[in-house]
Amino acid sequence: MTETETIAYDVVVLGAGPVGENVADRTRAAGLSTAIVESELVGGECSYWACMPSKALLRPVIARADARRLPGLSQAVRGPLDATAVLARRDEYTAHWHDDGQVRWLDSIGADLHRGHGRLAGPRTVTVDGPDGTRRTLTARHAVAVCTGTRARLPELPGLDAVKPWTSREATSSEQVPGRLIIVGGGVVATEMATVYQALGAQVTVLVRGKGLLPRMEPFAGELVADALTEAGADIRTGTAVESVARENGTVVAVTGNGDRVEADEILFATGRAPHTDDIGLETVGLEPGSWLPVDDSLRVLGSTWLYACGDVNHRALLTHQGKYQARIAGDTIGARAAGVPLLETDPWGAHAATADHHAVPQVVFTDPEAAAVGLSLAEAEQAGHRVRAVDVELSSVAGAGLYGDGYRGRARMVVDLDAETLRGVTFVGPGIGELLHSASVAVAGQVPISRLWHAVPSYPTISEVWLRLLEAYRG
């Protein structure tokens, strides 16, 4: 490795995914010189192997499902999806795995991109091993922000390496649709990819170790999604652990805990994420390689005065939009501290506190039906010691749902804090409800009193009228 120059910056950011980009954007807005280091593609996991390609794949699936619910249109969409066209549109949304556009955006904000593998080399110091064999040293006057995200976590199973399993990356970037696909897991990646590949013509078998799908949401969310996947032709097996895998004459064979052999052309493991921190030099600053990085609400790593961690690596909320939110908080905080602001706004909901991580994390699962939630589930609220009441409404009772599509099935729940008379959490499940979630996020984050929500009149006839039904059910 050839040593080159040392360059000083105000801020150095490790990782140029959406989170790192947002840190750089805010520190540049504060007038701080900023370097950003990336070993793969600028834009990160979300742009090329997660959010964007998965939603590009899902959109035609959901559009066809919606069309099939409408007389006068349903017969026109009875045929199969054009898988080649769906995959081609996905490729457009990943920019064919080229990052030129994102690099131009970094240039536009004045951040310096350093390509290569970045590692901490002591306090406020990062070395970058470039693809050309050179090593560059970057120093940070004020802060280093770790935004390196996560990687797929694979279980230790006999035969796994030889099988060459899919992870979320292969599932979202595959150039063809397998005839048969085993999906191991029951979370967001598992359910969304089951939705995609079943609709594109694969025979999908989902093996879930736990009791049901989407275990982090209200139980009815996973139940409704499982019912729909089963009706679409997928085989959902809960309480099923995979004990071993093998590839026999090109066919994947998964053996379950009860001895069943499940065969497929490919197998996707959607079994969680691990922090991408194993080779970034954490040991040089007294931290454990491969560990999550705990932070305070200003996103500063506990025990440090200069190291920040935003996004998945801090394990607060493994969602792109939440990581970007943290990045904005961290960037503004770094800027304020660099400017010598004597008193930061670190109280809950202050400008320098990522309070939403604790109370108002929103998520949409883009299955059919969609599942969306913000805040606490009923079980989480009760476990936290809050005195709460759950209010449920069938979405079919709302005129807008019936107009959306015949046979509409869905449910809404709000979890009411009985002492404060505000909302602790809201969950929607049903076709087309993803865009409804932000209203719930505003209500939960804003701690809007039930008495005031009563005056937020939903337009008729929209699915949003479910808010009125929920409030009526609560008031009695």
Side-chain angles (χ1 to χ4, degrees):
M1 189 66 62
T2 303
E3 294 284 348
T4 60
E5 77 270 36
T6 297
I7 308 174
Y9 290 93
D10 292 321
V11 179
V12 178
V13 181
L14 280 178
V19 177
E21 289 176 323
N22 272 263
V23 172
D25 188 38
R26 296 313 302 157
T27 56
R28 286 296 300 132
L32 301 178
S33 62
T34 302
I36 189 164
V37 182
E38 178 55 53
S39 61
E40 292 189 289
L41 296 175
V42 175
E45 197 82 8
C46 174
S47 298
Y48 306 102
W49 299 286
C51 314
M52 295 307 291
S54 65
K55 303 316 168 279
L57 290 169
L58 283 157
R59 181 60 196 140
V61 176
I62 302 306
R64 182 180 68 165
D66 285 342
R68 285 180 169 179
R69 297 182 179 100
L70 295 172
L73 184 57
S74 59
Q75 291 302 316
V77 292
R78 283 295 163 190
L81 287 167
D82 183 340
T84 300
V86 172
L87 296 177
R89 185 172 185 264
R90 180 272 319 272
D91 293 350
E92 291 294 321
Y93 271 88
T94 60
H96 299 272
W97 290 274
H98 293 292
D99 62 3
D100 302 14
Q102 304 244 20
V103 172
R104 285 194 296 272
W105 179 82
L106 278 181
D107 289 342
S108 75
I109 66 170
D112 289 351
L113 172 63
H114 294 267
R115 290 194 183 272
H117 190 99
R119 295 180 182 87
L120 291 163
R124 295 185 173 87
T125 304
V126 171
T127 60
V128 183
D129 293 339
D132 59 356
T134 61
R135 173 169 290 172
R136 182 168 294 164
T137 299
L138 312 179
T139 61
R141 299 182 188 92
H142 297 293
V144 174
V146 177
C147 308
T148 50
T150 55
R151 54 178 172 78
R153 185 180 65 224
L154 292 172
E156 294 183 4
L157 282 178
L160 187 61
D161 289 342
V163 166
K164 296 182 179 179
W166 280 10
T167 67
S168 54
R169 282 198 169 197
E170 289 77 20
T172 56
S173 63
S174 177
E175 296 180 357
Q176 59 187 9
V177 178
R180 299 166 299 171
L181 176 64
I182 298 169
I183 299 177
V184 182
V188 177
V189 172
T191 53
E192 289 189 347
M193 290 301 98
T195 301
V196 166
Y197 281 101
Q198 184 67 40
L200 291 179
Q203 175 55 57
V204 173
T205 302
V206 183
L207 306 179
V208 189
R209 180 186 292 271
K211 296 179 179 179
L213 302 180
L214 302 176
R216 296 183 180 276
M217 302 183 88
E218 298 284 7
F220 64 80
E223 291 166 5
L224 287 167
V225 171
D227 288 347
L229 281 170
T230 300
E231 289 175 11
D235 181 6
I236 311 294
R237 306 186 190 183
T238 58
T240 303
V242 176
E243 297 295 331
S244 66
V245 292
R247 195 177 284 272
E248 301 173 359
N249 299 318
T251 297
V252 175
V253 179
V255 179
T256 68
N258 58 13
D260 289 342
R261 287 167 54 92
V262 185
E263 297 186 356
D265 301 293
E266 301 291 349
I267 186 168
L268 162 63
F269 278 87
T271 48
R273 308 290 296 180
H276 213 317
T277 60
D278 51 316
D279 190 21
I280 62 168
L282 291 183
E283 68 278 3
T284 69
V285 293
L287 297 171
E288 182 68 26
S291 64
W292 303 101
L293 297 178
V295 296
D296 61 23
D297 278 356
S298 74
L299 288 310
R300 191 162 58 180
V301 174
L302 298 181
S304 177
T305 60
W306 57 272
L307 186 62
Y308 292 73
C310 302
D312 287 6
V313 291
N314 62 36
H315 208 232
R316 286 162 70 104
L318 277 65
L319 296 159
T320 295
H321 48 268
Q322 210 68 21
K324 291 166 69 174
Y325 160 74
Q326 294 172 9
R328 294 191 294 271
I329 298 289
D332 289 346
T333 301
I334 292 167
R337 285 174 173 151
V341 174
L343 189 62
L344 299 187
E345 298 177 40
T346 56
D347 289 339
W349 308 109
H352 306 117
T355 311
D357 287 350
H358 308 297
H359 304 292
V361 175
Q363 181 174 24
V364 179
V365 185
F366 293 86
T367 46
D368 176 41
E370 293 174 342
V374 62
L376 303 179
S377 68
L378 174 61
E380 288 170 339
E382 290 175 339
Q383 289 167 7
H386 302 298
R387 197 170 68 91
V388 293
R389 173 187 163 195
V391 181
D392 291 356
V393 166
E394 295 298 317
L395 275 163
S396 58
S397 67
V398 178
L403 289 168
Y404 191 92
D406 289 357
Y408 191 106
R409 285 181 294 176
R411 187 180 301 176
R413 167 174 287 180
M414 66 180 190
V415 178
V416 182
D417 186 309
L418 295 174
D419 295 317
E421 285 243 308
T422 57
L423 302 185
R424 287 285 177 181
V426 180
T427 299
F428 302 116
V429 183
I433 53 77
E435 297 296 340
L436 192 61
L437 185 64
H438 193 60
S439 60
S441 297
V442 171
V444 173
Q447 299 174 327
V448 182
I450 292 288
S451 59
R452 180 59 60 88
L453 282 175
W454 185 253
H455 296 282
V457 182
S459 297
Y460 181 86
T462 66
I463 300 177
S464 294
E465 202 176 18
V466 69
W467 280 108
L468 178 56
R469 300 285 90 84
L470 286 166
L471 293 168
E472 288 173 336
Y474 176 71
R475 286 192 158 193

